[in-house]
Amino acid sequence: MRFYVPTEVYNAENCVERYATKLASFGKKALIVTGRYSAKKCGALDDVIKALESNDTAYEIFDEVENNPSMETVMKARDFGLKSNVDFVIGIGGGSPLDACKAISMMIKNKDKGMEMLYDAGYETTYLPTVCIPTTAGTGSEVTPYAILTVHKDKTKRSLPHKIYPVLALTDSKYTRFMSHENTVNTAIDALAHMLESNLNTNANLYNRAFSEYGLKIWGASKDSLINASLEEKDFNNFLNASTIAGMAIAHTGTSLPHGLSYTLTYELNIPHGKAVGIFLPGYLKEYAKNDSQAVKECLNNLDFKDIDEFKHYIDTVLGKVSFDQTLLEQDVEGIMANEKKLKNYPFKITAEELINFYDV
């Protein structure tokens, strides 16, 4: 068995202020990578700027990261970072800015390489020191080596083959309280999917399952707050901690079939990532239980659900019904069935019909 998380993680109230010296210690000039709004709205960007200025560390801001960031955006930020002569990268935001900042740090470090490096595993993975500060409780990107980008030529999202671990993660649930309730739900469901898919996974072992199981318990303790939109401080803390813990779990296993099915829906229909993943979770559990009902039962027990039907009712309640053309799902499944890499994290044989039924359960 193996467990490896090289990211130094601090979780605390006013975390950026408390660890300002650590944040500023990775170079002389930082490239701050964000989207246009969330990092400003929640106060995280101001906190980071104050932390850097208090330690006489220079910085530049790239705030053009879109939802589901593209390869083209990464290269634009790389050029900006090179021109600005930065020597480390700070990502602030949800999964999109955090994933983008990892890819940007790699491309700045490899300034003589073109866009082809992003998806070419033949290149050595080297990158600038990267710090991640999450403002959502969903992806756990602050502790994973993964970066997922939009590949427009293939009309999908795809994870880089390079493993890019942040050197530091600063997590503070106060930044997550500025999201809309819809975004809070969607990101929380993404974290839930990470815990389930890492637990019920070909690569799962005692170590990552320990993280998954604990994460499911604290997520489950706050699950009702997503139904009645009544999140309190403890709920924001629970969901953020569960998200980071889930990141530690998937760092060792990767995700599985619900994530694989979701990417086309996000690209083609602009369905938020967490929602696109979540609609396949009940079907995933139902199919998995045909081969290992005890493993599924333990996951549901940790979440305090009595069975898959109760779990499905909960998912339908918090996400609402999602309708789309069955042909799109069939095309998606056809692509997954033709790609052995997309099936490898599911430990049992599965047919195209069974995959399609993940949606209609």
Side-chain angles (χ1 to χ4, degrees):
M1 291 187 293
R2 178 178 180 270
F3 191 80
Y4 177 69
V5 178
T7 305
E8 187 172 11
V9 184
Y10 291 94
N11 172 269
E13 186 177 357
N14 300 321
C15 197
V16 171
E17 180 182 355
R18 289 191 185 193
Y19 299 100
T21 301
K22 172 74 72 173
L23 170 65
S25 69
F26 297 102
K28 295 181 179 180
K29 190 173 187 180
L31 176 64
I32 301 174
V33 175
T34 76
R36 292 197 178 277
Y37 307 110
S38 64
K40 300 180 180 73
K41 182 178 179 181
C42 72
L45 179 59
D46 283 343
D47 287 350
V48 168
I49 289 172
K50 290 175 184 176
L52 295 175
E53 290 180 345
S54 69
N55 285 275
D56 296 321
T57 302
Y59 61 88
E60 295 286 349
I61 299 173
F62 182 86
D63 62 358
E64 300 179 32
V65 178
E66 72 273 41
N67 286 334
N68 307 304
S70 66
M71 299 166 67
E72 290 79 9
T73 296
V74 167
M75 297 306 292
K76 182 177 181 180
R78 188 277 286 272
D79 293 343
F80 178 74
L82 287 173
K83 183 178 179 180
S84 303
N85 198 31
V86 302
D87 54 6
F88 71 111
V89 180
I90 300 171
I92 310 172
S96 292
L98 300 192
D99 282 10
C101 84
K102 296 177 192 177
I104 292 163
S105 75
M106 182 179 74
M107 296 313 300
I108 293 175
K109 180 69 173 180
N110 296 274
K111 61 183 180 181
D112 58 330
K113 301 294 192 300
M115 189 186 291
E116 75 281 351
M117 181 182 179
L118 286 168
Y119 285 99
D120 190 336
Y123 287 111
E124 180 184 2
T125 306
T126 57
Y127 49 94
L128 298 181
T130 305
V131 178
C132 286
I133 301 168
T135 63
T136 67
T139 69
S141 185
E142 66 272 13
V143 292
T144 75
Y146 309 127
I148 298 173
L149 303 179
T150 295
V151 183
H152 286 302
K153 69 180 181 66
D154 295 331
K155 296 184 177 181
T156 191
K157 294 165 60 179
R158 187 174 298 133
S159 181
L160 301 188
H162 306 278
K163 300 296 183 280
I164 306 168
Y165 276 104
V167 293
L168 177 69
L170 300 177
T171 70
D172 186 341
S173 69
K174 73 178 183 181
Y175 298 140
T176 70
R177 299 172 198 176
F178 289 80
M179 288 189 294
S180 69
H181 183 67
E182 181 181 8
N183 285 339
T184 297
V185 169
N186 290 336
T187 54
I189 295 298
D190 188 24
L192 172 63
H194 290 164
M195 291 179 284
L196 292 173
E197 291 178 54
S198 67
N199 193 300
L200 308 174
N201 194 295
T202 303
N203 306 304
N205 63 36
L206 175 66
Y207 299 146
N208 79 273
R209 280 193 171 124
F211 277 77
S212 170
E213 288 164 8
Y214 181 69
L216 289 171
K217 288 178 181 177
I218 61 174
W219 196 99
S222 288
K223 68 180 186 295
D224 290 345
S225 69
L226 297 181
I227 293 178
N228 50 33
S230 60
L231 279 78
E232 300 177 359
E233 182 176 349
K234 65 178 177 60
D235 300 310
F236 286 106
N237 287 334
N238 280 346
F239 286 129
L240 180 60
N241 285 327
S243 174
T244 301
I245 290 168
M248 294 175 182
I250 62 167
H252 297 84
T253 62
T255 54
S256 191
L257 296 175
H259 267 73
L261 288 166
S262 75
Y263 295 138
T264 296
L265 299 187
T266 295
Y267 186 90
E268 295 287 353
L269 305 178
N270 202 31
I271 297 174
H273 171 65
K275 190 170 189 173
V277 172
I279 61 177
F280 296 112
L281 289 178
Y284 180 69
L285 296 187
K286 185 176 181 180
E287 185 62 35
Y288 199 101
K290 294 178 182 177
N291 298 282
D292 190 345
S293 60
Q294 184 60 32
V296 172
K297 182 179 179 180
E298 289 173 1
C299 287
L300 293 172
N301 285 343
N302 285 324
L303 288 165
D304 197 25
F305 288 114
K306 65 181 180 182
D307 55 30
I308 294 174
D309 288 341
E310 186 179 32
F311 177 76
K312 183 182 185 304
H313 177 74
Y314 175 86
I315 293 294
D316 289 345
T317 300
V318 297
L319 292 183
K321 188 64 176 176
V322 180
S323 299
F324 52 86
D325 188 345
Q326 183 81 359
T327 302
L328 181 63
L329 179 59
E330 291 171 356
Q331 292 172 348
D332 196 7
V333 167
E334 183 180 354
I336 290 175
M337 294 300 297
N339 188 338
E340 188 174 326
K341 290 182 179 179
K342 292 188 175 184
L343 295 169
K344 68 182 179 63
N345 287 353
Y346 187 74
F348 309 110
K349 294 283 188 180
I350 193 164
T351 66
E353 182 180 2
E354 287 166 340
L355 259 182
I356 289 172
N357 285 339
F358 276 22
Y359 176 66
D360 185 16
V361 296

